[in-house]
Amino acid sequence: PLLKQLKSKYPDYRIVYNFSEDTIHNYFKDDPPCPGIIEADFDGNGEMDWAFLLTYKQKQKFIIIAALQINNKWSLEAVTKFKGKLPYELYLEVAKPGTYEALDEIEVITKCWQEGFRNKYTSSTAGIWYMYMEKEGVACFRTKEGWIKIN
């Protein structure tokens, strides 16, 4: 039901599967299903949720979707959106609960950081890291106000 719901809500997107060889080699050390899919409890309700890296069929934009399991139903939320060419070194990882602070020198990876960006945040729940191979990334956490980002 989840993949069917995802396909219905985002019919022109697909799960990213074409990653660089380095990304795949380094990522599969812990045997996740795919560098564009992760599983954790992102909203703190004790249920396992999913995050998906999706690309538009014409490959000029992509989106990270959180699929939150709430009362035995799936709620799909857009975590962040990107425009431009999909970088094959981009992948998702689970951000562990804890305190996150922005780096002193910020290398801007995407323009989407302006919306929902924070300099510091402490989370009691897991979040979503999106990052580039051998570069810093962005941690996204779900709050009552929506998704926030820390690089």
Side-chain angles (χ1 to χ4, degrees):
L2 172 57
L3 291 180
K4 192 180 257 189
Q5 186 177 343
L6 190 66
K7 194 175 220 179
S8 174
K9 187 166 182 178
Y10 300 96
D12 294 329
Y13 286 82
R14 63 177 172 75
I15 295 172
V16 175
Y17 65 89
N18 50 342
F19 295 90
S20 74
E21 191 173 315
D22 286 341
T23 301
I24 291 170
H25 175 73
N26 289 321
Y27 191 83
F28 282 103
K29 62 185 180 286
D30 295 326
D31 197 28
C34 171
I37 302 172
I38 57 173
E39 180 183 26
D41 181 9
F42 301 124
D43 57 7
N45 68 355
E47 300 288 335
M48 293 308 286
D49 307 310
W50 292 88
F52 300 93
L53 176 60
L54 304 179
T55 186
Y56 190 68
K57 65 181 176 181
Q58 296 176 357
K59 300 180 183 176
Q60 291 303 308
K61 54 186 173 179
F62 55 103
I63 187 170
I64 297 173
I65 299 297
L68 307 173
Q69 196 173 148
I70 303 170
N71 297 324
N72 294 320
K73 293 182 181 179
W74 293 105
S75 173
L76 302 179
E77 297 181 1
V79 176
T80 194
K81 298 177 182 181
F82 305 82
K83 288 185 179 180
K85 186 179 175 189
L86 175 68
Y88 295 107
E89 292 81 23
L90 180 71
Y91 63 97
L92 303 180
E93 276 192 11
V94 174
K96 295 179 181 179
T99 299
Y100 291 80
E101 289 189 59
L103 300 173
D104 290 337
E105 293 183 28
I106 300 173
E107 179 182 331
V108 178
I109 296 175
T110 65
K111 294 180 182 176
C112 72
W113 289 8
Q114 296 169 356
E115 186 176 326
F117 180 78
R118 302 272 177 91
N119 288 327
K120 185 175 182 178
Y121 185 72
T122 300
S123 179
S124 60
T125 61
I128 301 166
W129 271 112
Y130 63 92
M131 58 185 67
Y132 293 86
M133 198 50 90
E134 298 182 5
K135 295 183 182 177
E136 63 271 357
V138 177
C140 304
F141 295 96
R142 188 171 187 266
T143 69
K144 292 178 184 176
E145 296 81 34
W147 287 88
I148 60 104
K149 301 165 189 76
I150 310 288
N151 80 313

